[in-house]
Amino acid sequence: MKRIAVITRDCAGVNAAIRAIVRTADSYNIEVLGVKRGYSGLIDADFVKLNRSDVSGIINFGGTILKTSRCKRFFEESFQLQAVKNIKENNIDGLIVVGGNGSLTAAHILASKYNVHVIGIPATIDNDVKNVELTLGADTAVNVALDALDKIRDTATSLERIFIVEVMGRDCGYIALQVALAGGCEEVLVPEMEIDMDVICKEIKEGNSKGKVSWIMIVAEGKARAQDIADIITSNTGFETRVAVLGHIQRGGRPTATDRIIGAKLGNYAVESLRNGLTNHCVTIKNEQFVEIPLNIATQPKKINVSSYYKLIKVLT
Ligand code: F6P
């Protein structure tokens, strides 16, 4: 194995993974090409050579030094063929894909349909990759959202207000549940769970009659818009509400120690795995051991135990 390439999405910890990939590969005299702007760079042959010094001083930065994109073109066969041609023409012996479901699905296509040697590193703030305990970027995202929530709580408590805080999570309530539990919130609304707004409004009114005046409710973006929930509460209870949409701040920021360590370990292990001939798998850590998951499994929908989170959140309210 003489040359590998790395392709990335953005979230905290991805730069730590790039650094580990480049430096591990270098220790085996394997050259690394960085693919610019995600799969777009694979289709357009936009590569940059990465050596040891190119990745110095990046471990503490969020995002990805390679830039990225959402590349719908890749899901058309003609562009896949173009990407595979570029892989061959540039003598790329193996590819490491650092990303979430979309990136890993594309990686699976490259491996299963075109026999490209591919290893994935699950990286998404949504933590929705099947059989993966913790994806790269999720820990930082939860901590960024929690930090914002703590600040909102200061004003919510002072003004005795109801706040609806919208966090990211298109199909998965992971961030919402973690933040609701860690932030001591009264209510959480996630895509995986049905909600009854009448029940919630009744609880708020009952709470208010007993003197509970400040509420913080977390809603995952995939469940509902925070403003819509706020409007329902105001019209049903007559209480004033405020809304905060945290948005993309959750995908950025200085990676936590956890994300840097996951990035370092998995970047290293992904190179070792390619060298050992593994392909069409992603690598992860479970109980402090490395685990390899076939990409066709990892890309299936992940279920989280929403009801156990929810019960605890409600008991502790
Ligand atoms: O998949 C990660 C994620 O941050 C989701 O939580 C969110 O719904 C989506 O990406 C936002 O995508 P974009 O940055 O393309 O708007």
Side-chain angles (χ1 to χ4, degrees), residues 289-316:
Q289 302 290 318
F290 290 112
V291 178
E292 293 118 19
I293 303 166
L295 284 173
N296 66 328
I297 305 278
T299 48
Q300 290 170 15
K302 175 181 177 177
K303 278 208 178 107
I304 45 178
N305 194 343
V306 175
S307 61
S308 74
Y309 267 104
Y310 193 75
K311 271 187 207 146
L312 186 54
I313 289 162
K314 295 309 273 184
V315 167
L316 301 183

Side-chain angles (χ1 to χ4, degrees), residues 9 70 124-126 168-170 221 248 251:
R9 277 289 302 167
R70 292 228 184 257
T124 163
I125 64 167
D126 292 345
M168 274 188 166
R170 227 177 343 210
E221 61 173 346
H248 285 78
R251 220 162 64 207

